[in-house]
């Protein structure tokens, strides 16, 4: 089973090999394809810097006449992997304090702590960061004319 460049940056076989190289459990090609598509859904909601190479292309990449960056493909595989262990479509809000350990990894959640979802995974944030549109902070203005005298604070 293979995906094409209209639905994915990564082929199922490449994802399966990537998973095997990292010792992740075997999943069916059908599941792998579903998770890659979920990952693409998530990636396509990001705000990317630059412009699509061809406005008619269905996916965000390639951009600015450059090929699809390897970190974007790697990020798709990480997101697809996380989709095999958690529901990536749901916002995460942690409940009461609890701890969970799995091998060398230990996680403690605190009551009321909200997660940024997949961006809490360092791999995702580091891989995507250079390609995301930079956010500009709002300018604060204050004064007597309905709160606006063009003084910046």
């Amino acid at each position: 089973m293979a995906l094409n460049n209209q639905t994915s940056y990564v082929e199922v076989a490449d994802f399966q090999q990537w998973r095997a190289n990292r010792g992740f459990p075997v999943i069916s090609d059908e599941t792998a394809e579903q998770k890659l598509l979920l990952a693409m859904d998530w990636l396509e909601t990001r705000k990317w810097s630059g412009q699509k190479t061809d406005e008619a292309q269905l996916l965000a990449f390639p951009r600015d006449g450059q090929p699809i960056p390897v970190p974007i493909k790697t990020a798709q595989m990480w997101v697809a992997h996380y989709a095999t262990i958690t529901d990536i479509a749901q916002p995460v809000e942690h409940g009461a304090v609890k701890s969970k350990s799995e091998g060398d990894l230990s996680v403690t959640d605190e009551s009321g702590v909200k997660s940024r979802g997949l961006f809490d995974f360092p791999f995702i944030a580091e891989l995507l960061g250079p390609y995301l549109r930079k956010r500009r902070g709002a300018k604060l203005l204050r004064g007597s004319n309905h709160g606006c005298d063009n003084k910046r604070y």
Side-chain angles (χ1 to χ4, degrees), residues 10 14 17 30 42 62 69 93 100 107 120 125 130-131 133 152:
V10 178
D14 295 332
Q17 185 62 55
E30 182 179 313
W42 187 85
E93 185 170 344
K100 180 179 180 182
V107 178
D120 280 345
Y131 302 98
R133 190 178 327 154
R152 294 182 188 186

Side-chain angles (χ1 to χ4, degrees), residues 45-47 116 119 132-138:
T45 66
R46 305 301 98 190
K47 304 293 184 207
R116 296 181 305 143
F119 279 103
L132 294 172
R133 190 178 327 154
K134 306 299 181 229
R135 290 186 178 181
R136 295 189 176 132

Side-chain angles (χ1 to χ4, degrees), residues 16-69:
Q16 293 285 39
Q17 185 62 55
W18 179 89
R19 288 180 54 80
N21 291 346
R22 284 153 185 80
F24 296 135
V26 174
I27 59 176
S28 71
D29 283 354
E30 182 179 313
T31 298
E33 182 175 6
Q34 290 170 345
K35 301 310 177 183
L36 284 168
L37 291 174
L38 281 172
M40 281 309 304
D41 290 345
W42 187 85
L43 287 170
E44 287 296 300
T45 66
R46 305 301 98 190
K47 304 293 184 207
W48 303 107
S49 63
Q51 299 295 318
K52 289 182 176 182
T53 296
D54 178 355
E55 281 302 316
Q57 71 193 46
L58 295 179
L59 301 178
F61 286 89
R63 297 181 86 71
D64 301 323
Q66 300 297 314
I68 301 166

